[in-house]
Amino acid sequence: MESPIALEELLKSRGTYRDAIGLPPKVYSDPDFFVFEREAVFASEWLCVGREEQVQEVGDYFSATPAGEPIIVVRNSESEIRAMSSVCPHRGMCVTADLDGIDDENMLEPTKFLSGNVRYFRCPYHWWVFNLEGQLTGAPEMKETDCFKAEDTSLENIALEIWNGFIFVNFDINADPLGPSLGKLEKAVRNYDLSSLKTVDPAVIPDVPFNWKIMIENFMEMYHNSRLHKGIHDWAPSAGAPGTPSSYSDFEEGDGAMFGFNPSLEMDGGFNPTYKALFPPLPNLTDEERQRVVFAFVPPTLLIGMQSDSAFWFTVNPTSPETHELSMAYLFPEEVLETPLFDELLEAAIRGVGYFNRQDIPTNIATHLGLSSRFANRAHYSWQEAVIPQFNSWLVNRYEKQMEGK
Ligand SMILES: [Fe+2]
């Protein structure tokens, strides 16, 4: 597949912060490049779509549209979590499309999708019925259609893997498993016991107005922490703490994650108006772990932040070159949810994150505008943002493969 940007230009962004330069600015806004990138990056990588605790009981399901593909994640009758396409094999209607609550005012709006608990999925259009495994079990008035075979008809199966409670899907059913590529991250975050934590206060912002890669870069790089967030980030400076500088993991071919450690000046800091953790520290953390923030990225979609008392996660799902859907939620041990005043303390934590967002989000919007300018430049990076050329390298490897048809 042809890229609208020459490989030679893209290759200048592969490397480390010592040598690589920024991606060609067109990768952040060009519509043709967006189409190319969706194939190169999203068609065969593991995309995080949610958490295990969203589908606890048999029949629990949720809808998602990773890279624009309507899919269903369901706990089937064997109590296994599975993913399948929501696209009815009959005429292309989405079986989980939400037709309730439609009125004259909103009937032209983009499709919304259902989540909940069901015994089967019934396409609202012609009432074809699929079981929780996606197999067609009923199709009215099809008996006279001699060539039609119900037993060969199903919702398309999609590869699914769970890592530490996070549900990933892959449109390439033969993709290599995700888990083995996350060994380094697994080791670094073991004591957070992420699989046991519970998602709290999930929220989705459907049309965040800047390119998805700008969100990733902003979340992962620590360079701006002591500058854009001067004051509110002082408890965890960009450079780290005396004797323990900030650092990023070594990133090598085959690694499925990038992550960085931002040490704090004292133990049990927090992103909230008190700069202190509001909840008890996670039970298995070492003193060193309680004195740092970890930022992790499982490309292309999952961002995780880990601090002494909790974690938070984002998924970044591109919807156009200029927009993405952002979902965000907190993770806490189940017993902490029972603590007195949990809701009030959570409110303070959310306000703290809101403070950051009010600096980061307008910065990202303005950066998107700047990167669309005729004067946009391709600059070198600081060691404090070493993760960006790592991400660029990961991307360029995939862009290159796509161009070479591999
Ligand atoms: Fe920030």
Side-chain angles (χ1 to χ4, degrees):
M1 191 177 187
E2 286 271 323
S3 156
I5 303 172
L7 179 60
E8 163 192 5
E9 283 307 309
L10 294 164
L11 290 174
K12 294 176 186 168
S13 301
R14 186 156 72 186
T16 72
Y17 73 90
R18 293 176 191 278
D19 49 25
I21 57 168
L23 289 163
K26 270 173 78 173
V27 307
Y28 297 95
S29 55
D30 184 84
D32 293 332
F33 190 80
F34 180 74
V35 173
F36 167 80
E37 182 179 65
R38 202 164 47 190
E39 279 313 296
V41 175
F42 290 85
S44 53
E45 295 295 333
W46 290 96
L47 313 175
C48 181
V49 291
R51 290 270 304 174
E52 217 173 358
E53 59 266 29
Q54 289 173 263
V55 278
Q56 286 180 356
E57 309 291 331
V58 169
D60 281 357
Y61 78 100
F62 66 85
S63 300
T65 48
E69 277 286 350
I71 70 158
I72 307 170
V73 175
V74 61
R75 190 177 285 272
N76 69 12
S77 50
E78 315 271 82
S79 202
E80 297 158 338
I81 302 177
R82 289 280 184 263
M84 57 187 92
S85 169
S86 170
V87 177
C88 183
H90 174 219
R91 294 262 301 282
M93 172 62 170
C94 299
V95 303
T96 48
D98 183 3
L99 303 186
D100 290 338
I102 301 285
D103 55 33
D104 290 350
E105 304 301 307
N106 65 12
M107 69 177 172
L108 297 177
E109 285 179 9
T111 306
K112 291 192 175 63
F113 294 91
L114 296 163
S115 297
N117 182 280
V118 288
R119 281 178 295 134
Y120 51 82
F121 297 100
R122 188 177 74 182
C123 181
Y125 205 177
H126 305 97
W127 288 19
W128 283 28
V129 173
F130 303 87
N131 64 19
L132 298 180
E133 283 66 43
Q135 183 61 45
L136 184 74
T137 56
E141 306 298 341
M142 290 294 290
K143 286 203 178 60
E144 289 180 32
T145 308
D146 299 332
C147 299
F148 171 69
K149 287 200 179 70
E151 60 276 19
D152 294 345
T153 307
S154 59
L155 298 173
E156 205 64 48
N157 185 33
I158 294 169
L160 179 143
E161 189 171 323
I162 295 171
W163 178 83
N164 271 293
F166 293 98
I167 299 173
F168 290 84
V169 297
N170 197 317
F171 300 129
D172 177 0
I173 204 80
N174 300 313
D176 289 337
L178 174 67
S181 73
L182 300 181
K184 287 182 192 168
L185 177 63
E186 178 81 48
K187 207 168 145 210
V189 305
R190 183 171 297 145
N191 291 345
Y192 291 88
D193 200 6
L194 290 169
S195 59
S196 75
L197 303 182
K198 298 289 174 232
T199 289
V200 171
D201 198 43
V204 178
I205 312 174
D207 286 303
V208 181
F210 48 88
N211 184 270
W212 69 281
K213 296 185 288 298
I214 294 174
M215 179 66 211
I216 308 285
E217 294 171 5
N218 174 250
F219 184 96
M220 289 300 294
E221 64 96 341
M222 302 184 236
Y223 192 21
H224 77 288
N225 295 359
S226 291
R227 285 94 198 179
L228 179 66
H229 302 310
K230 174 115 200 92
I232 56 171
H233 217 296
D234 290 358
W235 62 276
S238 294
T244 36
S246 292
S247 61
Y248 286 104
S249 60
D250 292 330
F251 183 74
E252 296 153 309
E253 182 66 33
D255 284 338
M258 290 143 226
F259 54 96
F261 301 114
N262 187 176
S264 51
L265 300 177
E266 284 170 41
M267 239 198 265
D268 300 333
F271 292 112
N272 64 71
T274 71
Y275 312 128
K276 302 263 183 259
L278 298 173
F279 303 94
L282 297 172
N284 301 322
L285 298 189
T286 63
D287 286 359
E288 191 189 2
E289 287 167 333
R290 284 169 60 179
Q291 199 164 339
R292 70 186 183 199
V293 183
V294 185
F295 297 100
F297 173 37
V298 182
T301 60
L302 176 64
L303 296 165
I304 316 170
M306 284 151 277
Q307 44 193 343
S308 125
D309 64 349
S310 58
F312 47 98
W313 58 284
F314 289 64
T315 60
V316 179
N317 181 22
T319 44
S320 80
E322 322 238 293
T323 55
H324 63 276
E325 175 195 71
L326 185 65
S327 72
M328 51 219 288
Y330 298 85
L331 289 169
F332 286 98
E334 202 161 12
E335 58 275 17
V336 171
L337 309 185
E338 310 299 323
T339 348
L341 296 177
F342 176 79
D343 290 341
E344 286 79 1
L345 292 170
L346 180 65
E347 178 68 32
I350 292 171
R351 279 178 192 240
V353 173
Y355 203 109
F356 280 90
N357 286 342
R358 284 193 294 279
Q359 296 176 328
D360 281 323
I361 301 286
T363 297
N364 290 335
I365 293 173
T367 299
H368 184 99
L369 181 69
L371 287 169
S372 312
S373 157
R374 72 185 69 236
F375 302 114
N377 185 37
R378 301 178 66 183
H380 287 282
Y381 294 105
S382 159
W383 69 271
Q384 291 181 0
E385 55 190 342
V387 71
I388 300 181
Q390 292 180 342
F391 177 33
N392 293 347
S393 302
W394 185 92
L395 287 168
V396 171
N397 287 344
R398 277 141 189 90
Y399 298 154
E400 183 180 33
K401 263 191 196 158
Q402 186 68 21
M403 284 184 221
E404 291 170 350
K406 282 188 221 155

